Amino acid sequence: MIGKTREYPKEIMILETIVRRFPPDDFRKAEFEKKLYRKRAGYKGEKTLDYFLAQIDHSEMLILHDLRIPINSTHFQIDTLLITINFLLIIDSKNYTGTLIFLPEFNQLIRILNDIEEVFPDPILQTKIQASQLKTFLEKHHLTPSPIEYLVAISNTQALIKNPTNDKEVSYRVFRSSNVAFKLPPFYQKHTQPRLSKNDMKKIARHLVKAHEPFVPDPKSMNLPFDNMVQGVQCPACEAFGMDYHQGKWTCISCGHKSADAHIQALRDYFLIYGPSITSKQFREFMNVGSPSTAKRLLSSMDLTFDGTTKGRTYFPEKNFFD
Ligand SMILES: [Zn+2]
């Protein structure tokens, strides 16, 4: 059973918006593109593991995707947690490509890609730390103790995995995502004793889901060129900015494409970069809509709530506005 699904990360949505609306002549754009690329690859790796996990029989276990749990004034993150009656299992997914050389003696992962050698943090150690943080969390909440196991999934099929020192931990804990079905039985053989009832399992899941705090970066702390960010409604066909609103439709000034609802994406962009509310005046300026009554009509047609009187209304997105 899936106890918590994986959602499209707000962080990626924000980075997508920043990249889309970054002034094209600003050299820092590449920095954000690089970060977006890395975050998307990570998400893709997690989804790949989800795909293979979904194929195994998980009727007797609870699967929680994407947890970020506060602990001791910081947070720990778990990509995937399996709660079974005998043990808990953390799986961290990596979507690295290239040649991956595990050197556990010094907790290093070397990645070679296009003749460039890079050192990454040892994912086995990272996941082991997550296990100990999860243990602390469970103890703090007086939840039934259970052995906590951990694995590192390599999701990128292009990756070449190497374990030159034939380290047992590496071959035990690191695997290809497609192989997940065959990584679980050894843990059932190792932990034969049932520790949790169905209710205990649900209780652990409930505590973790309740404590989960998704990571939402604050664009205000990113030193963005707010005054020069690209404004206006983007054409869904040719991606040019600055569609014109006339007679109930947006028209692209570059390619002539017409759209009835291109302002919805533009308003999502606004909320993601500029903050959680918009006034009618800000809406008109950002969307380049002259008429206050047109702005009001467009604003009322979307999933928004508002505060204030007719004239000074401030609009806020409903929860499902970003779906
Ligand atoms: Zn266009």
Side-chain angles (χ1 to χ4, degrees), residues 90 122-134 148 150-152 169 173:
I90 294 174
D122 176 5
I124 302 175
L125 178 64
Q126 282 182 319
T127 317
K128 189 178 176 183
I129 293 169
Q130 290 165 13
S132 85
Q133 288 166 321
L134 176 61
I148 304 176
Y150 48 95
L151 288 173
V152 174
E169 273 289 285
R173 309 253 178 220

Side-chain angles (χ1 to χ4, degrees), residues 234-241 243 251-258:
Q234 187 177 29
C235 170
C238 77
E239 300 187 346
F241 281 93
M243 295 187 94
T251 305
C252 177
I253 48 171
S254 295
C255 76
H257 177 80
K258 289 191 191 322

Side-chain angles (χ1 to χ4, degrees), residues 16-35:
E16 282 170 345
T17 305
I18 290 172
V19 166
R20 196 157 50 232
R21 293 187 175 267
F22 215 81
D25 51 355
D26 189 319
F27 73 98
R28 286 198 303 133
K29 185 173 179 177
E31 207 180 287
F32 286 99
E33 282 172 334
K34 216 172 143 187
K35 190 165 181 192

Side-chain angles (χ1 to χ4, degrees), residues 59-86:
S59 55
E60 294 298 312
M61 57 176 88
L62 268 173
I63 303 178
L64 307 184
H65 291 299
D66 176 32
L67 292 167
R68 183 171 175 271
I69 308 293
I71 193 163
N72 305 334
S73 75
T74 175
H75 289 82
F76 68 98
Q77 266 175 279
I78 293 177
D79 286 346
T80 304
L81 178 68
L82 268 54
I83 305 174
T84 76
I85 57 168
N86 299 18

Side-chain angles (χ1 to χ4, degrees), residues 10 21 82 105-106 115 136 146 159 217 223 246:
K10 216 48 183 291
R21 293 187 175 267
L82 268 54
E105 192 186 356
F106 298 111
D115 292 328
T136 307
S146 217
N223 198 15
H246 274 303

